[in-house]
Amino acid sequence: MKRTGEAPGKVILFGEHAVVYGAAAVALPLSKHVKVTLRDGSGQVDVRLPRRATIPDAHRAAAPVELLRRALGAAFDALDVRVDLGVPPMAGFGSSAALAVATLRALGTPKSKPKLLARAIDVESVAHGRPSGIDPAASIWGAPIRFQRTDRIRVKPLRIGAPVYVVVATAGVHGGTAPVVARIGETRRAAPQLIGSAMDTLGAAADAGVKGLRTGDLELVGRAMKIAQGILDGFGLVGLEVRAAVQTAEAAGALGAKMSGAGGTGGALVAVCATPTAARRVVRALKDRGVDGWVESYAALPTERSAR
Ligand code: PMV
């Protein structure tokens, strides 16, 4: 018997790190997916990587086998699993969460989005320690979302007021999410008021970004991104290559650009553009600096509904 499940990666537009402490965040699904195929077998795992990813990437990608074991439970030993990892691993694009969601979808249970999210967060914790859940939420909803986790998780798909073109890229080396989240926790314990108010500002930037996306005011989105980038840089989360790439993207015509995801020594960055032409120009300017990126586009959604 053969069963398949598929789920997209994600990129965080606003609210990384602050989301761990209850602030609002915004995530976008990627056109790159993870596909999982389950067949009757004996616990064999075959991971196919995206073009240009390396074997160390696969090992560092939170050991897909551990994630699969957690997702499949007792069934693991009676199945052969093929993973087509279309999402670049260890880059801040949510490959672990997408693998968790795709595996649970292949199993066919649970079906409801909130239940699937709770299961995926548990599976993802193998990779991340104590994840906020934003990665699997973006992967499950498969639409731009506003995400917030306080005493409960709230996921709201966003209606986008005007088409938005987002350049997604990576620069430098991603050092892993858990150590960076732990470091921010230590700083927060040492200076709770300072870090608390900075986190509040990151949450306010996310809400300004939500407003800009809903109303089609991409200039507002860009301004909010610049403020968020400044704070994340102050936290020491923006690697040298990412900082240079953000400046390059803005000089090439992005309305705003910032690091994305955990950050640290390097990792993902995002740049928001109003037109496909501007986005292609940003991709070319980044390429000239040796930074690989691509364009994701998000069309207006006809309706908006609260999901949880
Ligand atoms: O693993 P990344 O790079 O997508 O980062 C996840 C976002 C954090 O806010 C840093 C952690 C979390 O669990 O929300």
Side-chain angles (χ1 to χ4, degrees), residues 46-80:
D46 175 14
V47 181
R48 309 282 168 103
L49 295 169
R51 226 167 20 99
R52 279 195 280 175
T54 60
I55 295 298
D57 282 339
H59 283 304
R60 293 190 310 147
V65 176
E66 292 314 308
L67 282 166
L68 291 168
R69 271 189 194 282
R70 180 82 151 233
L72 296 172
F76 179 87
D77 290 323
L79 293 167
D80 285 345

Side-chain angles (χ1 to χ4, degrees), residues 10 12 16-17 19-20 92 128 131-132 134-135 174 177 181 261-262:
K10 69 89 199 39
I12 295 179
E16 49 276 276
H17 290 285
V19 71
V20 174
H128 275 338
S132 66
I134 188 170
D135 288 17
H174 192 297
T177 300
V181 170

